[in-house]
Amino acid sequence: MDDRAPLPFRERLAGWLEALSHVLPAQAPIRDFVHHNTLHGFQHLPFAEALTAAERLTGARCFWPEARFQAAYASGRINDDDLLAALEEVAPADLETSVAGCPVRDLLRASLLIPVEVDAETHLAWADREGLTPADRYWTEAARLVDELSAPASVGDGDWRPAALLRWHALCDRVGRTWTLRSLLDYLSGEDVLESVRTILQRHLASYLDLGVGAWANPHSAAGFYAAWRASAGCDLGWEIDDQHSIRDEICHLPADALDVLAEELARQVPDEDLWPAYLERLALELPGWSGMFLWQAQHRQTGPAIRMADYLAVRIVLERLLSEDVLRRLTGAALSLEELRGYYAVELAEFHVRDAWRQGRLDEALLQQALPLLEADDPAGADDAAWEALAEAVAAQPTASLRRGRTARLAGLLQHLAWPPAAYAALSGEEAGRWLACAEQLTAAQRGEIWLLAYERHYREQLFGALQANRTRSRSAPRPSAQVVMCMDDREEGTRRHLEELAPEIETYGAAGFFGVPMYWQGIDDEAPAALCPVVVTPAHLVREHPASDAEAAAKHARRRSRRLRWRERLYQATRRDPLAGPLLAAAAGLPALVALTAATLAPGWFGNRLKSWRERYEGRGAGTPAVTATAPAAPGDGPQVGFSESEQIERVEGFLRMIGLTEGFAPLVLLLGHGSGSRNNPHLSAYDCGACSGRHGGPNARVFAAMANRPAVRAGLLARGLRIPAETWFVAAEHNTCDDGVEWYDLEAVPAAWQSRLDQLLHQLREACRAHAAERCRRLASAPVRPTPWQGRRHVSGRAHDISQARPELGHATNAAAFIGRRQMSRGLFLDRRVFLVSYDPLTDASGEMAERILLAAGPVGAGIALEYYFSSVDNERFGCGSKVTHNLTGLFGVMEGADSDLRTGLPWQMVEIHEPMRLLVVVEQTPAVLTAVIERQPPLRELIDHAWIVLAACHPDSGALSRYCPRRGWLPWSGSAVLPQVARSADWFAGETDALPPALVLGAAAGTARGAA
Amino acid sequence: MTSPLEVLAAWVWLVPGLPLAVVLVHGARMLAGGARGDAAERLTARLASLAAFGSLLLLGAIDVLAVHADRAPGHLRLGHWFGTGNWEATFSFLLDRLSLTLATVTALIGWLVTRFSANYLHREAGFTRFFIVLGLFLAGMQLVLLAGNGLLAFVGWELCGVASFLLIAYAWQRPVASQNALFAFVTNRGGDAGFLLALGLAAAWLGSFEWTALGNASRISVVNDRLLVTGFVIAALAKSAQLPFSGWISRALEGPTPSSAIFYGAVMVHAGVYLMLRLEPLLLQVPDVMLGLVVVGMLTALYAWLCGLVQTDVKSALIFGVLFQVALMFVEIGLGWTTLALVHVCVHAGWRAWQFLLAPSWLVLTRERPAPPPAWLRNNQVLYTAALNRFWLDKLARTLLVAPTEGFSRDVRGLEQHFIDPAIGQPGRGQPVHPERPLVRVDGAPGRVLGALSELLQRLENRLLLRGRGGAAERWLHRAGSYLRTVEGLLEQPRYLMMAVMATFVVIL
């Protein structure tokens, strides 16, 4: 069968399976959740085109519903300027012309404002009957005009046969393109055959992919999914019970090799070989979550027997045929092939016509009553052709609904939003109104979505540009900083930085990707295995272990007691669910303590959480240790990662990082590296809140390792040799910020020499206070938090929240992310940015060639775009791209969540995380000249893809003049000119107090006293 | 003088009453359109948890006083409900060691879960709906536990069933959720049939639904006793998802996590165990039924253990763990170890509430893959398939019960369409009986009979009255009319009126 093909079937199949990764969700097991572009497979297309393609393929909505945008317009979040500017960018026709006396621009603008309602005729007729139709003058006017227009009501006339035949062939042609055979049969019979086996298939899949919940795996699972399924399905009594004996026999006689099955079944089901890849894609997309997880594990899982995607598809395609044959038999009396089916209904056209009308919902009640006995008949031979014929005639004779009401509604909306004087409307003729309508309706749904999105983005962009402009002209003094704090670029840290600067104007802050230039595997004292702490695309070459501090006996005792505690916990949770003997005993022992714990955790989560922690520490002590950063011996090649960093590597890392953030002189006595992570309870999506630059883990160890390296005299000496002088009066410290409870955990404080002690105490105090102020700011967006809290109250609230097992929103994650600044801090210092901006430090003055900018963009661009786009898609269609509400989630196989105990695997972000998100693409403002940036984009294909295809929006802020310009893929750099007037407040708290929604930027005067030196 | 214990005990109806009252308040607020937005949420949650806490407080006070006085209030009759000569239904409560212990544990878990849900369900579309159903459930459960008679307990039993149905279908947009809710509901109706049967028998043979009366049922024969107990046993097996009813509980996990915790993890699943404990005196008289309980319990335990081994999602894995231990409780009861069973229920409920509420934490709580089953089992493909398919219980239920019922109803429909409808006739389908009189239309056999009758009368009328003036009938009627007028004239005179009144009295007396 492969004689025409250039490659043998197996090789082509491998290519097709590879290509599936473009359309299936690529989410890793949930423990390693890392944000990525949901539509990563479409990234090679321009944004708008990709969205259209994705919508066609998956049926998901790719823009916010228009009603949301219209509400934003009504509330002033989008204004007329934004809308008109967006129209300008997208509009298909020449906006300057006019139609029947009205400018096209006005018509389109008005058409965007018309509420999208269900404009089905039946709905409108109902609204009419219920008196819900507005009785304003626009409506009357529109009704008059539509009457005049007198649309010819199309009445079903003539012969229905040619149209029906065309439609039938069109439906058949969809098989292999947008449908599978099952979908076609589903359409014809209203019976989805997948439903009958979906549950058990999901159980097979979950059991096969399981990472550690199930105790008992399929005895044949080592031989692959197909073999395991075949062994199990072959002795499944369910077929007998369902009276499908032949299916079981067939399964028993299937070939042993999944590839043979695929070759055989494809040839059998889809005659046209060109359609095979698309057909497989369709099959995989029917359970996107499970297919995606299967593919992910097939490509990434390293332990255990190989997982083959072909196995999965073989099972799907076999089930597809066997179950379809069953339906076909009931439908037509025989197990026809697709071509035979095509012929069958081409003859039985009357039956098809009735079924078609039925599935489109065109049968009224009386006809449905007549049709049901025929449609539900079990025996196709029993149905008599005459009955179908009569029914088909009756269906064809139904008058098709006139479009009158819908047109009236749309025209009335148009008249209302054009807002002309009534006299002008009175002079309008029906014909002119018709042309208006035609003009207004020329925008497709995708175009409308795009226009609204652009307008929505523009509004925020204008505010942000205005803020940047206004902030430039402020005067600054430049005292010597008392400390420099390097935080993660994370949007959440914008708040921490701002509050720290407000409280301590003499502190300088920096932002960088949260792995601090030290990609590594890390194994802390309490970790069982090393974990990669670096962006997910990087494979670390080094491993750093934490070694127990001096007291070996204490360390051993700690390890012993800790492992004993964990063993008992494990035993308690596992045995009570499956051990027949120990289960009841353990449950009996744990019952009362559990009730007490539940009471305490419910009434005082914060107190109880802290108590537990202190009890734990009293029992097993703290696992104190120091990271062994220095390599003792270089690793042999191919021997896994090298343990520790060598001297030169350390120097390289420290230098590279400091130069990248622009901290090369003017070192303060203390330099703090502040990693971050999030600690919350009872939250399967835990790692989605952690540091994205550390593969969804905590960034503290990286900060710690960096500080340890930078404090070593040998490294300092090496740096000096390379022209980077860190004075002896400077000491590096590290800490980790918990973004959930706003606590800070400091590392290796006992190693800080006494000379720095007082300064350190001061910094500790300042940071603690800043975190409290930050907690109070975060409270404004949390409904259960106190209103207008003091910093202490705020901190207490978020601390309780972090320990609360009942919190579905321990924190809001990146829900507010919207933009990124890459440049000196003086660009944004003193601006209230509402925790919406990624802040990356970069000094353009030392980087004339743009090399550094290139590196930063390459590292931060995809991370930021991944976060922003994942939030975008999970917000616009939470049902398809997101994973729905957390409240019914059920952790499955330790790799994902289902809704309840029987659903597709849900990928993406839960609704609770994106609920307050404003879906926009990331706006990246780089402090560099457009010319340099253009060169950077051209040099780097990954950046070109992101920026030229408009997955992120790039803007440049000129380092000298501060002029802002935005990059447009079509028209190049567009200089910005807008108003730069901003409200001024003394402190952030004055601006956000009592507010609960997203806030525009403001100038914070308190922070402006700070240094202007920034990176300089 | 009444002791404080008695005074408090008389208020015990508030325990189910408070949640029920709050349900009514929520319902009214929803109907009035007031229960929307964040502000309304706070009120909803506060009221619900206040009611749950009120119940807990009241029960706690009764407990303390009862322990202090070293005696439980026992059976309390608070009012008459309805009844006939032979039997009576009352509003009565039974506060003894068993009911007070379990009711207190339930109230505590109920209160904690209510507080938990307030945060967990924040801004859910079904927020108020959830609290209404939760309140309904708490009221129902407390009625089951505290009621002094079977009938009142049955009301609670049904409230729990409805609440369970409504919460499984919490995400009603998902077909799977609503199908499973229906499945659970219908399966549980099997148990209700048993409960009703037992209540009917109790009314007939004992003349009372009171648990106390049922307890000393030695006056009825062992055969009758066995029948009575069997009804209750069926109810208990269905509610606690023992075989053969086990299929529903593993399909009931579609609701929000807190509802799975309180219904299937902690509280409702133990309702059957409570019923058996309550009927202990009755059970003791029929050792063969107790043996049956042991057998069913062991089989269910085996079923739950095997199925539990293959589960790969946390909630299903936990539910089979629950089922296993509830099955053990039935075994304990069957062996007569009722005190052990009571203790087991309480600690088990406490532990499962915690474990289910922490189900989303499984990633953090466990580190290693659980040990595989013993080798003889591990490689048994058939048993594995059976366990993965949960022994095909729901498919069997479908084939053995649902499909025949569907077939039967289809046949009945056919019968009706083809025979009964034409025979009886349908409105709007009538044919004129007589071409000259299109107003009279008939369909079906009775219609034809009536049509014929009207035809006859019509003919009579034509013949007697309408055939011109001076027909025989007219003459007779005139004469009769004049007689009647005379009688009327006489009656209008007072003496005759008095006579008529007297005559009436005589007849009455």
Side-chain angles (χ1 to χ4, degrees):
Chain A
M1 76 188 175
D2 284 336
D3 45 1
R4 282 186 299 122
L7 279 171
F9 174 76
R10 286 170 185 249
E11 281 166 44
R12 280 186 297 151
L13 183 68
W16 300 336
L17 297 184
E18 197 63 37
L20 284 179
S21 60
H22 292 301
V23 292
L24 291 175
Q27 185 169 310
I30 197 162
R31 200 195 286 274
D32 302 313
F33 191 103
V34 179
H35 292 292
H36 75 299
N37 179 3
T38 313
L39 294 189
H40 62 102
F42 295 85
Q43 212 163 288
H44 58 281
L45 295 173
F47 183 71
E49 271 176 47
L51 263 52
T52 316
E55 195 160 350
R56 206 169 39 231
L57 191 69
T58 62
R61 189 178 58 225
C62 289
F63 294 102
W64 234 14
E66 238 173 276
R68 297 286 301 261
F69 281 125
Q70 283 163 346
Y73 178 83
S75 70
R77 173 64 180 77
I78 300 174
N79 61 28
D80 264 330
D81 290 344
D82 303 323
L83 200 54
L84 290 176
L87 250 181
E88 203 90 45
E89 262 184 68
V90 178
D94 194 355
L95 289 178
E96 305 308 324
T97 56
S98 56
V99 169
C102 181
V104 171
R105 186 196 307 273
D106 292 358
L107 277 173
L108 293 183
R109 180 191 151 277
S111 80
L112 284 167
L113 298 177
I114 302 173
V116 189
E117 281 174 11
V118 192
D119 59 352
E121 284 297 315
T122 39
H123 170 80
L124 291 166
W126 168 82
D128 226 14
R129 278 200 306 279
E130 293 290 312
L132 298 176
T133 318
D136 58 4
R137 59 194 170 87
Y138 299 114
W139 187 270
T140 350
E141 201 66 57
R144 172 184 72 81
L145 288 168
V146 169
D147 280 343
E148 248 178 74
L149 194 57
S150 66
S154 57
V155 176
D157 54 339
D159 194 6
W160 48 268
R161 281 165 193 282
L165 192 62
L166 268 181
R167 180 153 171 81
W168 168 236
H169 285 305
L171 290 183
C172 285
D173 287 341
R174 289 174 77 166
V175 176
R177 291 187 176 84
T178 56
W179 272 3
T180 57
L181 185 58
R182 177 191 69 87
S183 333
L184 180 68
L185 292 175
D186 180 15
Y187 186 81
L188 284 173
S189 66
E191 180 184 335
D192 188 353
V193 291
L194 188 59
E195 275 310 303
S196 64
V197 293
R198 200 178 42 84
T199 305
I200 188 70
L201 182 66
Q202 280 167 184
R203 282 189 210 152
H204 277 298
L205 280 167
S207 163
Y208 182 67
L209 298 175
D210 182 31
L211 297 178
V213 177
W216 188 9
N218 192 317
H220 283 81
S221 59
F225 180 65
Y226 171 72
W229 171 82
R230 197 169 66 116
S232 199
C235 58
D236 188 343
L237 287 182
W239 305 119
E240 313 286 332
I241 298 174
D242 282 349
D243 242 355
Q244 293 171 324
H245 314 282
S246 62
I247 293 191
R248 204 181 119 184
D249 291 346
E250 285 220 39
I251 289 174
C252 290
H253 292 104
L254 283 173
D257 185 13
L259 294 177
D260 292 341
V261 176
L262 272 174
E264 203 174 287
E265 294 292 338
L266 274 174
R268 196 157 162 181
Q269 290 180 35
V270 190
D272 184 354
E273 266 192 49
D274 296 338
L275 293 179
W276 289 2
Y279 195 79
L280 291 179
E281 191 177 288
R282 273 288 139 200
L283 272 182
L285 275 173
E286 280 177 351
L287 290 172
W290 285 111
S291 307
M293 181 47 64
F294 203 104
L295 189 62
W296 192 94
Q297 293 210 11
Q299 292 175 340
H300 296 91
R301 189 152 131 185
Q302 265 138 40
T303 55
I307 296 176
R308 292 178 302 266
M309 190 67 185
D311 275 355
Y312 168 65
L313 287 175
V315 172
R316 286 288 294 109
I317 202 164
V318 166
L319 280 175
E320 181 90 355
R321 178 174 63 82
L322 294 177
L323 295 165
S324 295
E325 276 178 1
D326 183 49
V327 179
L328 273 169
R329 249 179 238 120
R330 269 176 287 141
L331 212 55
T332 66
L336 306 178
S337 71
L338 180 60
E339 282 312 301
E340 287 165 337
L341 182 69
R342 193 191 276 264
Y344 178 84
Y345 276 111
V347 177
E348 304 283 337
L349 207 51
E351 182 178 342
F352 167 73
H353 190 59
V354 176
R355 287 184 182 276
D356 190 33
W358 170 49
R359 295 296 282 168
Q360 289 184 343
R362 282 197 285 116
L363 293 183
D364 63 23
E365 208 174 334
L367 279 175
L368 195 62
Q369 279 302 323
Q370 289 178 41
L372 275 183
L374 286 177
L375 292 168
E376 286 175 354
D378 271 341
D379 178 16
D384 90 78
D385 284 350
W388 283 115
E389 283 292 335
L391 208 53
E393 293 294 343
V395 170
Q398 275 191 118
T400 46
S402 77
L403 302 170
R404 195 173 158 275
R405 279 170 192 287
R407 298 181 73 137
T408 313
R410 282 195 297 278
L411 187 59
L414 206 56
L415 299 183
Q416 183 189 344
H417 291 292
L418 277 175
W420 282 13
Y425 288 145
L428 205 63
S429 78
E431 186 268 335
E432 285 168 324
R435 282 170 59 201
W436 279 12
L437 267 181
C439 173
E441 281 159 16
Q442 66 182 316
L443 292 177
T444 62
Q447 279 172 327
R448 291 170 71 98
E450 196 187 348
I451 293 172
W452 277 117
L453 174 67
L454 288 175
Y456 194 64
E457 289 176 343
R458 180 181 182 275
H459 192 85
Y460 181 67
R461 192 170 60 231
E462 292 294 308
Q463 288 178 344
L464 212 56
F465 280 3
L468 284 175
Q469 199 75 359
N471 196 42
R472 237 196 121 66
T473 51
R474 298 169 72 181
S475 65
R476 296 153 205 273
S477 57
R480 184 177 154 74
S482 71
Q484 283 151 335
V485 182
V486 188
M487 301 198 195
C488 183
M489 60 186 245
D490 199 294
D491 46 331
R492 288 167 286 185
E493 298 292 25
E494 188 272 330
T496 324
R497 288 175 73 174
R498 174 161 36 80
H499 285 288
L500 186 60
E501 289 163 351
E502 273 179 42
L503 285 162
E506 73 283 3
I507 287 180
E508 278 180 0
T509 63
Y510 292 82
F515 67 109
F516 302 107
V518 189
M520 61 172 189
Y521 288 108
W522 165 258
Q523 187 171 17
I525 280 189
D526 294 337
D527 298 340
E528 252 140 66
L533 298 185
C534 57
V536 73
V537 288
V538 181
T539 310
H542 299 86
L543 164 66
V544 177
R545 288 208 180 93
E546 189 181 15
H547 284 198
S550 51
D551 190 353
E553 196 192 325
K557 184 177 154 208
H558 165 77
R560 205 170 51 241
R561 292 200 156 181
R562 185 183 140 80
S563 94
R564 188 187 306 154
R565 176 175 66 81
L566 291 179
R567 210 165 49 240
W568 273 102
R569 188 178 72 179
E570 181 92 12
R571 202 173 285 162
L572 179 61
Y573 282 92
Q574 296 280 22
T576 48
R577 79 173 165 102
R578 56 166 293 253
D579 201 310
L581 297 175
L585 293 177
L586 281 172
L592 202 59
L595 269 185
V596 174
L598 187 58
T599 314
T602 311
L603 296 184
W607 174 83
F608 184 60
N610 291 329
R611 260 319 51 176
L612 272 186
K613 196 173 158 207
S614 75
W615 285 336
R616 201 161 52 227
E617 274 174 11
R618 198 177 303 165
Y619 172 67
E620 62 189 29
R622 286 185 75 130
T626 44
V629 295
T630 309
T632 44
D639 203 22
Q642 172 184 313
V643 179
F645 290 85
S646 71
E647 205 94 308
S648 61
E649 283 166 341
Q650 292 183 22
I651 297 168
E652 217 173 275
R653 296 287 184 286
V654 174
E655 188 200 1
F657 182 71
L658 290 179
R659 287 199 192 280
M660 188 169 72
I661 63 171
L663 178 60
T664 48
E665 53 183 26
F667 285 93
L670 276 175
V671 179
L672 166 64
L673 289 120
L674 189 62
H676 74 99
S678 175
S680 55
R681 303 283 313 275
N682 219 12
N683 182 5
H685 288 85
L686 186 65
S687 59
Y689 296 87
D690 279 337
C691 183
C694 296
S695 303
R697 296 199 178 81
H698 292 228
N702 299 72
R704 198 173 170 193
V705 168
F706 185 93
M709 291 200 244
N711 282 334
R712 295 187 60 226
V715 174
R716 298 268 177 107
L719 288 173
L720 190 58
R722 293 181 175 219
L724 184 67
R725 201 187 79 82
I726 303 178
E729 302 81 62
T730 297
W731 190 263
F732 285 79
V733 282
E736 182 176 288
H737 178 207
N738 184 334
T739 51
C740 190
D741 70 1
D742 267 314
V744 177
E745 190 190 349
W746 293 80
Y747 295 121
D748 308 319
L749 285 190
E750 61 286 345
V752 180
W756 280 275
Q757 207 54 56
S758 64
R759 288 178 185 281
L760 183 65
D761 287 343
Q762 195 192 0
L763 181 61
L764 246 77
H765 172 72
Q766 286 164 334
L767 189 62
R768 213 179 294 141
E769 213 170 317
C771 284
R772 280 197 291 270
H774 184 223
E777 177 178 339
R778 287 171 52 209
C779 281
R780 74 187 194 85
R781 315 244 20 200
L782 305 170
S784 58
V787 184
R788 292 172 185 268
T790 63
W792 280 99
Q793 286 172 327
R795 168 85 166 96
R796 200 161 54 226
H797 176 80
V798 294
S799 162
R801 211 175 173 89
H803 286 116
D804 193 348
I805 54 170
S806 70
Q807 250 323 332
R809 297 169 186 75
E811 63 159 314
L812 295 174
H814 294 283
T816 46
N817 85 80
F821 293 164
I822 299 174
R824 289 165 294 181
R825 174 62 172 157
Q826 76 183 62
M827 188 172 146
S828 51
R829 182 161 185 166
L831 278 180
F832 176 86
L833 293 171
D834 201 15
R835 310 174 76 239
R836 309 196 64 174
V837 184
F838 295 91
L839 295 173
V840 187
S841 291
Y842 159 68
D843 188 356
L845 302 184
T846 59
D847 182 41
S849 65
E851 237 169 86
M852 207 73 87
E854 186 174 328
R855 270 180 36 207
I856 292 178
L857 272 173
L858 270 179
V863 173
I867 294 174
L869 289 168
E870 175 131 58
Y871 270 83
Y872 176 90
F873 288 110
S874 290
S875 314
V876 293
D877 194 343
N878 195 247
E879 263 319 299
R880 293 235 175 56
F881 292 132
C883 62
S885 169
K886 270 182 176 177
V887 304
T888 60
H889 279 177
N890 180 12
L891 195 62
T892 304
L894 300 187
F895 52 67
V897 291
M898 296 194 293
E899 278 179 301
D902 180 12
S903 87
D904 191 14
L905 211 56
R906 301 298 306 265
T907 55
L909 298 175
W911 166 78
Q912 276 86 352
M913 281 181 82
V914 298
E915 170 200 26
I916 63 158
H917 183 60
E918 293 191 340
M920 294 187 285
R921 288 171 293 174
L922 191 71
L923 169 66
V924 182
V925 185
V926 186
E927 195 179 13
Q928 189 47 279
T929 58
V932 171
L933 286 177
T934 311
V936 168
I937 300 172
E938 260 159 31
R939 275 203 297 273
Q940 286 295 345
L943 290 179
R944 207 160 53 222
E945 185 177 90
L946 273 181
I947 295 166
D948 265 345
H949 288 168
W951 292 91
I952 56 177
V953 181
L954 184 71
C957 175
H958 200 286
D960 303 326
S961 68
L964 289 156
S965 41
R966 175 171 66 95
Y967 181 76
C968 168
R970 269 186 302 139
R971 294 179 286 172
W973 291 95
L974 309 172
W976 178 79
S977 60
S979 92
V981 182
L982 225 56
Q984 302 194 344
V985 287
R987 296 176 315 132
S988 301
D990 300 335
W991 184 236
F992 66 70
E995 298 285 340
T996 55
D997 291 328
L999 281 175
L1003 288 179
V1004 183
L1005 299 176
T1011 167
R1013 295 167 60 241
Chain B
M1 199 184 127
T2 50
S3 70
L5 178 59
E6 280 159 25
V7 176
L8 265 188
W11 286 93
V12 72
W13 56 272
L14 275 178
V15 173
L18 282 174
L20 211 55
V22 169
V23 165
L24 292 179
V25 173
H26 290 334
R29 285 172 61 224
M30 254 181 122
L31 281 181
R36 293 213 187 90
D38 291 359
E41 239 178 47
R42 199 164 279 206
L43 182 62
T44 307
R46 288 228 173 114
L47 277 178
S49 85
L50 206 64
F53 188 61
S55 303
L56 176 64
L57 219 55
L58 186 57
L59 278 170
I62 295 179
D63 288 346
V64 169
L65 289 177
V67 169
H68 184 68
D70 202 20
R71 67 176 179 87
H75 190 265
L76 303 170
R77 185 180 182 280
L78 296 185
H80 170 80
W81 186 2
F82 64 91
T84 69
N86 296 334
W87 52 269
E88 188 197 15
T90 60
F91 288 108
S92 63
F93 290 86
L94 180 54
L95 304 181
D96 59 1
R97 194 184 57 132
L98 171 65
S99 61
L100 279 178
T101 317
L102 277 177
T104 312
V105 173
T106 301
L108 177 62
I109 295 178
W111 176 54
L112 294 175
V113 167
T114 308
R115 302 236 348 177
F116 184 97
S117 312
N119 275 336
Y120 205 67
L121 275 99
H122 173 53
R123 288 205 184 140
E124 282 289 315
F127 188 87
T128 314
R129 174 162 52 97
F130 178 86
F131 278 92
I132 288 181
V133 181
L134 193 60
L136 217 54
F137 167 71
L138 287 179
M141 200 60 215
Q142 294 291 9
L143 263 185
V144 171
L145 296 176
L146 295 173
N149 61 65
L151 206 57
L152 204 55
F154 183 70
V155 173
W157 196 263
E158 287 307 290
L159 278 181
C160 293
V162 172
S164 155
F165 167 72
L166 290 175
L167 279 187
I168 300 173
Y170 171 82
W172 51 267
Q173 305 88 333
R174 297 183 51 230
V176 173
S178 39
Q179 276 164 19
N180 285 357
L182 197 64
F183 183 83
F185 190 70
V186 171
T187 315
N188 269 302
R189 297 287 74 72
D192 295 350
F195 209 128
L196 276 180
L197 172 77
L199 288 182
L201 295 179
W205 292 336
L206 296 168
S208 167
F209 302 110
E210 305 300 321
W211 293 134
T212 42
L214 281 166
N216 48 34
S218 45
R219 37 198 173 109
I220 58 173
S221 69
V222 176
V223 180
N224 289 0
D225 196 354
R226 184 176 298 124
L227 201 55
L228 190 63
V229 169
T230 308
F232 284 120
V233 165
I234 291 177
L237 293 182
K239 205 61 155 189
S240 290
Q242 301 298 296
L243 285 176
F245 301 99
S246 302
W248 70 266
I249 199 163
S250 49
R251 289 177 62 173
L253 302 169
E254 304 295 329
T257 306
S259 74
S260 303
I262 192 168
F263 279 78
Y264 316 114
V267 177
M268 196 181 81
V269 71
H270 294 120
V273 180
Y274 166 78
L275 191 64
M276 291 295 94
L277 288 176
R278 175 52 71 214
L279 292 169
E280 184 197 346
L282 209 55
L283 269 177
L284 285 176
Q285 296 175 26
V286 275
D288 44 347
V289 175
M290 288 177 71
L291 183 68
L293 281 186
V294 174
V295 171
V296 169
M298 298 229 278
L299 285 178
T300 310
L302 185 66
Y303 164 82
W305 180 65
L306 281 175
C307 290
L309 287 176
V310 301
Q311 296 313 314
T312 43
D313 63 281
V314 173
K315 285 188 189 176
S316 301
L318 290 182
I319 204 69
F320 282 106
V322 170
L323 200 55
F324 178 79
Q325 297 215 18
V326 173
L328 288 193
M329 292 171 205
F330 274 87
V331 175
E332 287 156 15
I333 294 172
L335 294 175
W337 304 336
T338 44
T339 310
L340 176 67
L342 174 59
V343 174
H344 195 174
V345 169
C346 294
V347 288
H348 187 242
W351 171 245
R352 293 301 180 189
W354 172 256
Q355 206 181 14
F356 257 89
L357 289 178
L358 281 183
S361 301
W362 204 257
L363 266 179
V364 184
L365 291 176
T366 65
R367 298 178 300 165
E368 45 207 65
R369 194 178 270 277
W376 60 268
L377 185 58
R378 201 183 312 157
N379 293 322
N380 190 325
Q381 185 72 47
V382 177
L383 264 184
Y384 171 82
T385 307
L388 195 70
N389 282 283
R390 297 176 188 165
F391 290 84
W392 301 282
L393 278 186
D394 28 337
K395 260 199 180 21
L396 280 172
R398 202 186 142 65
T399 316
L400 297 179
L401 297 173
V402 182
T405 314
E406 269 180 3
F408 180 68
S409 73
R410 221 185 354 257
D411 292 346
V412 170
R413 195 173 100 187
L415 183 73
E416 184 176 334
Q417 254 176 1
H418 294 116
F419 299 100
I420 299 180
D421 276 355
I424 296 181
Q426 282 170 290
R429 290 262 175 106
Q431 302 298 325
V433 185
H434 200 278
E436 284 173 18
R437 290 190 291 278
L439 276 180
V440 184
R441 293 158 166 267
V442 301
D443 184 37
R448 281 204 194 94
V449 172
L450 281 175
L453 189 66
S454 86
E455 184 71 22
L456 193 73
L457 290 174
Q458 182 75 38
R459 216 174 292 154
L460 212 68
E461 185 184 354
N462 283 352
R463 180 171 295 254
L464 294 182
L465 301 176
L466 303 178
R467 201 174 284 163
R469 297 186 63 82
E474 196 190 0
R475 260 201 325 275
W476 286 8
L477 286 174
H478 270 297
R479 194 170 299 163
S482 70
Y483 287 152
L484 283 174
R485 261 201 300 280
T486 317
V487 173
E488 191 186 352
L490 286 175
L491 276 179
E492 273 171 2
Q493 292 178 12
R495 56 179 184 280
Y496 291 106
L497 192 64
M498 282 307 292
M499 271 174 70
V501 171
M502 303 276 276
T504 316
F505 272 113
V506 169
V507 169
I508 291 174
L509 293 172

